[in-house]
PDB file of all heavy atoms in Angstrom:
ATOM      1  N   LYS K 296     -57.893  42.017  10.202  1.00  0.00           N
ATOM      2  CA  LYS K 296     -58.417  41.745  11.534  1.00  0.00           C
ATOM      3  C   LYS K 296     -57.297  41.906  12.555  1.00  0.00           C
ATOM      4  O   LYS K 296     -56.170  41.486  12.315  1.00  0.00           O
ATOM      5  CB  LYS K 296     -59.012  40.336  11.610  1.00  0.00           C
ATOM      6  CG  LYS K 296     -60.225  40.132  10.717  1.00  0.00           C
ATOM      7  CD  LYS K 296     -60.802  38.729  10.883  1.00  0.00           C
ATOM      8  CE  LYS K 296     -62.029  38.537  10.006  1.00  0.00           C
ATOM      9  NZ  LYS K 296     -62.608  37.177  10.161  1.00  0.00           N
ATOM     10  N   LEU K 297     -57.628  42.507  13.684  1.00  0.00           N
ATOM     11  CA  LEU K 297     -56.663  42.785  14.737  1.00  0.00           C
ATOM     12  C   LEU K 297     -56.916  41.865  15.929  1.00  0.00           C
ATOM     13  O   LEU K 297     -58.070  41.634  16.310  1.00  0.00           O
ATOM     14  CB  LEU K 297     -56.742  44.250  15.175  1.00  0.00           C
ATOM     15  CG  LEU K 297     -56.557  45.287  14.060  1.00  0.00           C
ATOM     16  CD1 LEU K 297     -56.734  46.698  14.611  1.00  0.00           C
ATOM     17  CD2 LEU K 297     -55.205  45.141  13.407  1.00  0.00           C
ATOM     18  N   HIS K 298     -55.824  41.360  16.518  1.00  0.00           N
ATOM     19  CA  HIS K 298     -55.921  40.423  17.633  1.00  0.00           C
ATOM     20  C   HIS K 298     -54.967  40.848  18.741  1.00  0.00           C
ATOM     21  O   HIS K 298     -53.799  41.180  18.474  1.00  0.00           O
ATOM     22  CB  HIS K 298     -55.573  38.999  17.189  1.00  0.00           C
ATOM     23  CG  HIS K 298     -56.319  38.538  15.977  1.00  0.00           C
ATOM     24  ND1 HIS K 298     -57.529  37.876  16.042  1.00  0.00           N
ATOM     25  CD2 HIS K 298     -56.031  38.661  14.644  1.00  0.00           C
ATOM     26  CE1 HIS K 298     -57.945  37.592  14.820  1.00  0.00           C
ATOM     27  NE2 HIS K 298     -57.054  38.064  13.957  1.00  0.00           N
ATOM     28  N   LYS K 299     -55.439  40.817  19.982  1.00  0.00           N
ATOM     29  CA  LYS K 299     -54.585  41.100  21.124  1.00  0.00           C
ATOM     30  C   LYS K 299     -53.687  39.899  21.406  1.00  0.00           C
ATOM     31  O   LYS K 299     -54.008  38.763  21.065  1.00  0.00           O
ATOM     32  CB  LYS K 299     -55.433  41.419  22.359  1.00  0.00           C
ATOM     33  CG  LYS K 299     -56.318  42.649  22.202  1.00  0.00           C
ATOM     34  CD  LYS K 299     -57.164  42.863  23.438  1.00  0.00           C
ATOM     35  CE  LYS K 299     -58.096  44.056  23.253  1.00  0.00           C
ATOM     36  NZ  LYS K 299     -58.979  44.276  24.435  1.00  0.00           N
ATOM     37  N   ASP K 300     -52.573  40.182  22.055  1.00  0.00           N
ATOM     38  CA  ASP K 300     -51.655  39.134  22.492  1.00  0.00           C
ATOM     39  C   ASP K 300     -51.860  38.946  23.993  1.00  0.00           C
ATOM     40  O   ASP K 300     -51.528  39.837  24.783  1.00  0.00           O
ATOM     41  CB  ASP K 300     -50.205  39.518  22.193  1.00  0.00           C
ATOM     42  CG  ASP K 300     -49.258  38.337  22.323  1.00  0.00           C
ATOM     43  OD1 ASP K 300     -49.443  37.532  23.249  1.00  0.00           O
ATOM     44  OD2 ASP K 300     -48.345  38.202  21.499  1.00  0.00           O
ATOM     45  N   PRO K 301     -52.409  37.804  24.429  1.00  0.00           N
ATOM     46  CA  PRO K 301     -52.700  37.649  25.858  1.00  0.00           C
ATOM     47  C   PRO K 301     -51.462  37.599  26.738  1.00  0.00           C
ATOM     48  O   PRO K 301     -51.565  37.803  27.944  1.00  0.00           O
ATOM     49  CB  PRO K 301     -53.474  36.319  25.900  1.00  0.00           C
ATOM     50  CG  PRO K 301     -53.048  35.579  24.684  1.00  0.00           C
ATOM     51  CD  PRO K 301     -52.789  36.618  23.633  1.00  0.00           C
ATOM     52  N   LYS K 302     -50.295  37.327  26.159  1.00  0.00           N
ATOM     53  CA  LYS K 302     -49.070  37.222  26.951  1.00  0.00           C
ATOM     54  C   LYS K 302     -48.188  38.457  26.861  1.00  0.00           C
ATOM     55  O   LYS K 302     -47.238  38.580  27.631  1.00  0.00           O
ATOM     56  CB  LYS K 302     -48.274  35.990  26.503  1.00  0.00           C
ATOM     57  CG  LYS K 302     -49.001  34.684  26.728  1.00  0.00           C
ATOM     58  CD  LYS K 302     -49.331  34.491  28.204  1.00  0.00           C
ATOM     59  CE  LYS K 302     -50.079  33.210  28.452  1.00  0.00           C
ATOM     60  NZ  LYS K 302     -50.426  33.043  29.893  1.00  0.00           N
ATOM     61  N   CYS K 303     -48.492  39.358  25.950  1.00  0.00           N
ATOM     62  CA  CYS K 303     -47.668  40.562  25.770  1.00  0.00           C
ATOM     63  C   CYS K 303     -48.596  41.735  25.465  1.00  0.00           C
ATOM     64  O   CYS K 303     -49.017  41.907  24.312  1.00  0.00           O
ATOM     65  CB  CYS K 303     -46.647  40.354  24.649  1.00  0.00           C
ATOM     66  SG  CYS K 303     -45.477  41.708  24.462  1.00  0.00           S
ATOM     67  N   PRO K 304     -48.964  42.546  26.454  1.00  0.00           N
ATOM     68  CA  PRO K 304     -49.931  43.627  26.225  1.00  0.00           C
ATOM     69  C   PRO K 304     -49.450  44.681  25.233  1.00  0.00           C
ATOM     70  O   PRO K 304     -50.282  45.377  24.640  1.00  0.00           O
ATOM     71  CB  PRO K 304     -50.123  44.226  27.623  1.00  0.00           C
ATOM     72  CG  PRO K 304     -49.649  43.174  28.574  1.00  0.00           C
ATOM     73  CD  PRO K 304     -48.559  42.446  27.868  1.00  0.00           C
TER      74      PRO K 304
END
Side-chain angles (χ1 to χ4, degrees):
K296 296 182 179 180
L297 304 177
H298 309 269
K299 298 178 183 178
D300 194 321
K302 297 301 179 181
C303 186

